[in-house]
Amino acid sequence: MASLVHRPTGCRRCFPSARVCVIFGLVAAAFAMVALLDVFEESANVENTVWQILALGVFGSYLKPGKEIKGVPEHCGNANPLKTLTWMNPSDFNSTTLSSPFYQQHLHEPTLDAPVFVVGCGHSGTTELIALLARHPLIFAYLDGSGMEYAVQPNSFLSPWSWLPVRSQRDDLWLAKQAARNHATHWAVKSPSNVCRLGYIFKSLPDARVVMIVRDGRDTMLSLKNRFRDKDPTGPYVLGRWVNDNTAGLLYKKDPRMLLVRLEDLSAAPRYWLSIILRHIGAPSSWRELDAVVQKHRKGRRKSVRGAEKRPSHSWFSAKDHWREALPNRPDEVLSGPLHWLRALNRSQSLVDSMLEPPQQEDRSCEDYITTNASLASPGAQSSLRHHNNLRRCQVAQPLHPVPPKWPSAMTNRDRELFKADHQAVRLLEHFGYAANSSW
């Protein structure tokens, strides 16, 4: 006689509800995806692809990333991915700051070892500014990336899922180690695309200082159009990029950790603006201030800037990199060693003036030099990359000249019409003080 008792099979044999089984399956899939992330931790494309899949809600709301702040443009920058993702500007970007009195105090008072990020739309002067900062004795500027850039990725500093075993790269600790080796207290990086990721930067490194540099959108449009000749001049690589990148950066315009500087102002009055930038990031702007900082830390009058404060959690999986935690990233440790490097500094001119003097002189504009070199302007991805890198090397090696507007004579009537047709571009032009209206 057949049994009348129903015997559950498959999933329902183990769990009282199929929904519970589905949840466990989703969690298992997430862990498998996380394992893939860890295997390919050097691949930004894999990390961002996983994030995009989760953001689409493929695995339901259980593993869907958090919300982003309002007003983030759909596209931003030209690094992968071209589209903005929720990890770049999370709505809770201030959570680490608000949870710590230490970080709240240093919103307006930068630490001596504050990380520095130079951001802004491409072709707006980020390379020129990072080159200036690299000449400061207490600033280590990382310039070894392609185009001298360092683009922040989902796990560069803080793991996107703190409750899952995702290993953070902890690039902040690696950069601090490089800075210490160079007797520097600050480390600085630049990448235009980082203007799209300020929320992640502030959440991961609450004591970071950001300098956002802007340039007249009409000149930027002409420069980007010359670089991306096969792209739509109004699309996300040219005019759209200037609009999107600056729109993303202005979301944080009231944050005291960000300073906005116009390239035209910096190039016209470099001593004045460079002093303001140094004060903003917490670096000495004179030899006298530098000596005072060194002596203060050598005498041990100041407690550790960062040692007693618990840093944001980077997930338990980062424990396998525990050796990095011992890196000398505190000013009192960095400045307590031999001072032969300090005595070797040339003090024949002011500290700011020494930063304005490049290693070699170039007479011609870098953009003019590269544009007139046919071998660098040939089509093809590799040629375009060589073109871009040569432009960057030229910019670092030349002095900071005043940047006069080129658009009055170089901008065609068609380009003017395209620019004026973008109402957000016109509003930004007025906001930055480049035009009073669209009658130009």
Side-chain angles (χ1 to χ4, degrees), residues 116-300:
V116 180
F117 292 84
V118 175
V119 304
C121 176
H123 293 233
S124 293
T126 55
T127 301
E128 287 86 345
L129 180 53
I130 196 69
L132 293 177
L133 296 178
R135 299 169 197 155
H136 192 286
L138 295 186
I139 299 177
F140 166 76
Y142 177 75
L143 303 175
D144 292 340
S146 176
M148 301 181 182
E149 297 180 4
Y150 170 85
V152 171
Q153 299 303 328
N155 67 341
S156 292
F157 314 123
L158 179 68
S159 293
W161 306 283
S162 58
W163 55 279
L164 287 177
V166 182
R167 179 165 60 182
S168 167
Q169 296 282 64
R170 293 313 305 266
D171 288 347
D172 52 322
L173 297 180
W174 183 86
L175 288 164
K177 180 179 180 181
Q178 306 311 308
R181 287 176 174 174
N182 289 272
H183 313 288
T185 53
H186 295 275
W187 55 263
V189 295
K190 81 98 179 176
S191 175
S193 293
N194 286 342
V195 75
C196 316
R197 307 156 192 211
L198 293 180
Y200 172 83
I201 291 172
F202 286 142
K203 182 176 182 180
S204 304
L205 306 172
D207 52 347
R209 312 303 281 189
V210 173
V211 182
M212 176 180 167
I213 191 161
V214 299
R215 182 186 182 188
D216 190 317
R218 294 162 293 191
D219 284 318
T220 307
M221 177 184 180
L222 291 176
S223 183
L224 289 171
K225 183 181 176 183
N226 183 57
R227 178 183 174 188
F228 299 104
R229 300 181 181 183
D230 59 335
K231 301 296 183 181
D232 178 4
T234 63
Y237 282 92
V238 187
L239 178 59
R241 181 179 177 188
W242 185 78
V243 172
N244 293 332
D245 289 12
N246 286 297
T247 299
L250 286 177
L251 295 173
Y252 303 88
K253 64 181 180 180
K254 295 183 179 180
D255 195 301
R257 293 167 291 188
M258 189 177 83
L259 174 69
L260 192 147
V261 179
R262 300 197 319 176
L263 174 63
E264 295 82 0
D265 295 337
L266 173 64
S267 64
R271 292 177 182 83
Y272 172 78
W273 281 103
L274 191 52
S275 297
I276 290 180
I277 292 171
L278 292 176
R279 285 197 294 271
H280 172 71
I281 66 179
S285 58
S286 69
W287 297 119
R288 191 173 185 177
E289 291 180 9
L290 176 62
D291 291 338
V293 166
V294 172
Q295 292 304 318
K296 189 173 186 178
H297 285 280
R298 287 183 69 81
K299 292 180 180 179

